Amino acid sequence: MDRFKLIDLLGKMYRVPREAADLMKSLGLIQWMASVDVPDPRGAGIIKVTPEVLRVARKGKILLRYFAGFKGIAPGGSLFLVIKAGGLLPPLQVSDPLAANYVKCVASNGAPLKVDLERDLYYYVWIRLQERGLHEGQSILVILGDDSEGSPGMTLREFACKIVFEAWVDCYGKEEFIRLQDQPSVRIVGGPASTLDVIVPSIIYPGEPIKTVVRAVDHFGNVVPDYTGPIRIVGDGFKITQRFEKRDKGVISFDLPYSTFGDKKRFKISVKDAHGNLKGFSNPSTLKGRDDEYGKGGYRIFWGDIHGHTGLSSAAYGTPFEYYEFARDVAALDFCALTDHDHYMTPEKWAIIREAASAFNEPHKFVTFLGYEWTHGSGGGTLIPGKYFGHKCVYFPTDVGTYYTYTRMEEAPDPESLWRCLEGTGALVIPHHTAYPLGYDQVSGTDWRYHNPRFERLVEIYSRHGSSEKAGGLRPIMILERLRSGKIKRTPAFNPEGSVQGALARGLRLGFVAGSDTQLGCPGNQIRNEPRASSSYNGGLTAVYARELTRSSIWEALWNRRCYATTGQRIVLSFKVNGHIMGEEFRLRGNEPRTIHAEVLGTSEISKVTVVRDGEDWYIHKGTSTHEEITVVDNSPLKKVTYYYVRILQEDGGMAWSSPIWASPSKV
């Protein structure tokens, strides 16, 4: 099956208009299905998949059985499987029964089968009956990882996930496909447990209970859902025992009394299992008094991931409800947003997204935001030849909002149209992976000439694509080249004009956030390296300084740029200039000095604390511990608007960036 035939078949099955882009067809795009008649699946048969559960990074075998319905399959008819896995499975093949990852297909009546397999973002298996068909009750067995003829079998990849199977049947050999109603799945779960992850609040106020989450995770960072047994939480002068039960699915939460830590200003919690085989430490936490600007404001640090995708984006996985459940119960995030792509969106999908965001929003426990991604230049290219504006996530402060797509000239084919559509909504728009070259593949960088400060108050400085901070920086954006061997070659390719520092040099006033841009439906950075060609790194997290865990409070913190970005670690970062906190703007006389203060609690030893002034690494402090605090004074004349921010680098490679603070001379 060549690519052109695959595109033709998918176009017929998903009712994709002929004028749609080939890439959209290859994604199995279903946004047009609402406007066409879907053939009645009754009588076309059923499919069953076993086993229900497999373990990551182990040899496994998946058996799919199709049973013909009363329509049967005539000679020349076929079964077409869509395996929604792509990079989640090793490279499947049907050509060599002695080689690894062999897919074997057998008809129960001995009918010869012609089998073609193609991989795009999913796997597609086309099984044709040439000489004999199938009668009702007869079956086709498909074995992923067959080893009966000498193959070493199939070793699963290291990512916990759910693999969904979709089946289409051409009963009469006319390439008129019927999609079966059932879409069975196999869960690939983590294990065995190798460590215990502990999450506590980054800021604790006196007298408050300490909400604690402990996760049993494997070597790859997956939660192990069947882990059970007692654990001990250990601190200065105390030991507390908790227990994982089967119903906990690898994650437990409980409150520790504030008195546990006495008057310690900074602390971590250590845990271990009953045998001492599994150990772990919490993220750092600080006891906050009211002695500085952050404390006087009553601010707490809340953690979130507001950039990710599900199966509603076709090339991604999972449902919106599974997405938020993972964020809340597994990743232990405080707030989250789902941003599925506009060019896959339909009114039906948008209704599901709105319902999920509303259902999971629970003030003081877990906050969600309604959003989507305006993905200009992806999939269908651009409706405005030669123009690439970049990708932007759009968020709404309430459950009221609608999507506007770049794929329709009457909606939002360019930023100016998008701004008009969003007028009066109170929306927040955040560009991401801004430093890619303009028009590069499906992940174009940002053209800052089309910036609108009324909506764009933040920029995503980091995600699994890399850092867009500056040219020559760490974790750079990569362009990708697929070699003949099938391997991906990654080469740094940075567009300085699209970078974050490029935007700040234009005078744009942008705070910093980070996200995962997960395609696995797993927000919160639990997947170390997602199995996507464009995933060069693990995802990031956003920290906000807000007074309480409610939509209005988190939104206010984001809107006022009182936030910072990390590469996934829960680093505690405080940054001030002349008493003004991150995201703020202030004025002073040109001859007045600027006193810059930064304090950081790292998740590992801190290597560098760098103060950036107007794009220059102005001051570098070399760290020696997990806690560093600096105060430096800039006595240079303040002749123009000047911005400052801090960049943190840990020994383990973890990073954090504070949002900038802008100082202006009084006469400006």
Side-chain angles (χ1 to χ4, degrees), residues 283-306:
N283 56 286
S285 186
T286 179
L287 175 63
K288 203 70 174 177
R290 306 278 174 172
D291 56 350
D292 72 351
E293 286 75 11
Y294 290 96
K296 291 174 184 176
Y299 296 126
R300 306 167 186 271
I301 293 176
F302 297 107
W303 292 93
D305 183 355
I306 55 174

Side-chain angles (χ1 to χ4, degrees), residues 472-487:
L474 298 174
R475 301 193 181 211
I477 291 283
M478 300 279 190
I479 62 170
L480 313 175
E481 177 186 358
R482 188 177 292 276
L483 305 177
R484 288 185 177 181
S485 64
K487 294 183 178 180

Side-chain angles (χ1 to χ4, degrees), residues 4 6 138 159 165 312 365 377 458:
F4 294 104
L6 173 64
Q138 293 180 330
F159 308 102
F165 295 83
L312 296 187
K365 291 186 178 180
L458 299 167

Side-chain angles (χ1 to χ4, degrees), residues 361-373:
N361 187 62
E362 190 174 359
H364 307 292
K365 291 186 178 180
F366 183 66
V367 166
T368 64
F369 292 107
L370 178 65
Y372 74 96
E373 181 177 324

Side-chain angles (χ1 to χ4, degrees), residues 97-118:
L98 298 178
N101 310 315
Y102 179 60
V103 178
K104 183 176 183 177
C105 303
V106 181
S108 63
N109 63 356
L113 304 174
K114 179 175 174 54
V115 182
D116 289 295
L117 182 146
E118 185 75 23

Side-chain angles (χ1 to χ4, degrees), residues 442-508:
Q442 296 185 62
V443 286
S444 173
T446 295
D447 190 337
W448 290 113
R449 293 176 298 175
Y450 299 93
H451 170 72
N452 188 325
R454 295 178 58 205
F455 299 99
E456 294 179 310
R457 298 180 59 81
L458 299 167
V459 59
E460 186 179 274
I461 196 170
Y462 176 83
S463 72
R464 64 182 175 84
H465 295 271
S467 167
S468 290
E469 181 193 6
K470 66 170 189 172
L474 298 174
R475 301 193 181 211
I477 291 283
M478 300 279 190
I479 62 170
L480 313 175
E481 177 186 358
R482 188 177 292 276
L483 305 177
R484 288 185 177 181
S485 64
K487 294 183 178 180
I488 299 294
K489 179 182 178 182
R490 289 176 165 82
T491 305
F494 207 85
N495 174 19
E497 292 186 358
S499 70
V500 171
Q501 288 194 357
L504 295 174
R506 287 177 168 269
L508 279 54

Side-chain angles (χ1 to χ4, degrees), residues 147-287:
D147 56 3
S148 64
E149 299 180 55
S151 166
M154 175 177 68
T155 299
L156 297 168
R157 298 198 64 185
E158 64 270 29
F159 308 102
C161 60
K162 182 173 73 172
I163 297 173
V164 178
F165 295 83
E166 184 177 287
W168 299 73
V169 182
D170 172 19
C171 295
Y172 306 115
K174 299 179 180 180
E175 294 188 1
E176 296 175 352
F177 288 90
I178 300 171
R179 186 173 67 173
L180 302 187
Q181 287 182 320
D182 291 336
Q183 294 192 30
S185 62
V186 175
R187 287 194 306 123
I188 313 297
V189 301
S194 64
T195 190
L196 297 169
D197 276 353
V198 189
I199 298 174
V200 295
S202 296
I203 291 178
I204 297 170
Y205 282 94
E208 295 180 342
I210 302 166
K211 181 182 177 181
T212 306
V213 176
V214 183
R215 303 182 299 220
V217 299
D218 65 14
H219 174 70
F220 307 105
N222 303 298
V223 167
V224 182
D226 55 355
Y227 178 80
T228 59
I231 61 168
R232 294 192 182 99
I233 301 94
V234 181
D236 291 341
F238 76 91
K239 290 183 180 180
I240 297 174
T241 299
Q242 293 286 335
R243 184 177 182 85
F244 281 86
E245 304 291 352
K246 187 175 181 179
R247 64 177 179 271
D248 295 319
K249 298 181 180 179
V251 183
I252 59 173
S253 61
F254 49 89
D255 287 343
L256 291 174
Y258 168 78
S259 58
T260 300
F261 300 97
D263 295 327
K264 292 185 66 175
K265 188 175 181 180
R266 297 175 293 274
F267 61 86
K268 285 185 176 182
I269 296 171
S270 64
V271 297
K272 59 182 179 180
D273 69 357
H275 306 290
N277 297 324
L278 300 184
K279 299 178 181 179
F281 293 91
S282 72
N283 56 286
S285 186
T286 179
L287 175 63

Side-chain angles (χ1 to χ4, degrees), residues 301-592:
I301 293 176
F302 297 107
W303 292 93
D305 183 355
I306 55 174
H307 184 189
H309 306 279
T310 69
L312 296 187
S313 282
S314 184
Y317 305 93
T319 70
F321 292 88
E322 292 169 335
Y323 179 93
Y324 283 125
E325 189 174 51
F326 186 95
R328 182 191 63 190
D329 300 339
V330 178
L333 296 178
D334 298 307
F335 62 96
C336 189
L338 169 61
T339 52
D340 273 320
H341 299 285
D342 64 329
H343 57 291
Y344 299 130
M345 200 66 70
T346 66
E348 292 79 8
K349 291 182 181 181
W350 186 244
I352 294 171
I353 290 170
R354 288 183 61 183
E355 180 184 0
S358 178
F360 276 85
N361 187 62
E362 190 174 359
H364 307 292
K365 291 186 178 180
F366 183 66
V367 166
T368 64
F369 292 107
L370 178 65
Y372 74 96
E373 181 177 324
W374 187 78
T375 319
H376 186 270
S378 181
T382 173
L383 297 180
I384 305 174
K387 292 289 187 179
Y388 295 93
F389 306 110
H391 297 187
K392 307 172 189 290
C393 288
V394 180
Y395 306 91
F396 300 99
T398 69
D399 289 330
V400 178
T402 192
Y403 68 94
Y404 301 96
T405 176
Y406 81 92
T407 62
R408 296 190 181 99
M409 285 296 293
E410 66 273 19
E411 289 191 15
D414 57 33
E416 291 304 318
S417 302
L418 180 63
W419 310 141
R420 286 195 297 271
C421 289
L422 295 176
E423 191 68 39
T425 64
L428 183 63
V429 178
I430 305 179
H432 55 273
H433 53 58
T434 64
Y436 272 122
L438 289 178
Y440 168 66
D441 197 38
Q442 296 185 62
V443 286
S444 173
T446 295
D447 190 337
W448 290 113
R449 293 176 298 175
Y450 299 93
H451 170 72
N452 188 325
R454 295 178 58 205
F455 299 99
E456 294 179 310
R457 298 180 59 81
L458 299 167
V459 59
E460 186 179 274
I461 196 170
Y462 176 83
S463 72
R464 64 182 175 84
H465 295 271
S467 167
S468 290
E469 181 193 6
K470 66 170 189 172
L474 298 174
R475 301 193 181 211
I477 291 283
M478 300 279 190
I479 62 170
L480 313 175
E481 177 186 358
R482 188 177 292 276
L483 305 177
R484 288 185 177 181
S485 64
K487 294 183 178 180
I488 299 294
K489 179 182 178 182
R490 289 176 165 82
T491 305
F494 207 85
N495 174 19
E497 292 186 358
S499 70
V500 171
Q501 288 194 357
L504 295 174
R506 287 177 168 269
L508 279 54
R509 304 198 179 184
L510 299 166
F512 300 161
V513 297
S516 64
D517 195 4
T518 178
Q519 307 292 304
L520 296 183
C522 298
N525 191 46
Q526 297 311 301
I527 306 300
R528 303 281 165 89
N529 281 297
E530 287 201 359
R532 296 272 298 188
S534 56
S535 296
S536 297
Y537 310 93
N538 62 288
L541 289 175
T542 293
V544 302
Y545 276 98
R547 291 185 175 88
E548 59 181 1
L549 186 56
T550 61
R551 263 191 189 166
S552 59
S553 187
I554 301 296
W555 184 270
E556 184 270 339
L558 290 168
W559 187 266
N560 288 304
R561 304 177 297 235
R562 202 166 53 249
C563 51
Y564 62 93
T566 81
T567 53
Q569 301 78 14
R570 298 196 183 207
I571 298 167
V572 179
L573 176 59
S574 170
F575 174 57
K576 298 178 290 185
V577 179
N578 282 23
H580 293 273
I581 62 179
M582 60 181 75
E584 291 189 339
E585 307 171 31
F586 70 99
R587 294 179 179 273
L588 73 169
R589 291 192 298 271
N591 60 352
E592 288 187 54

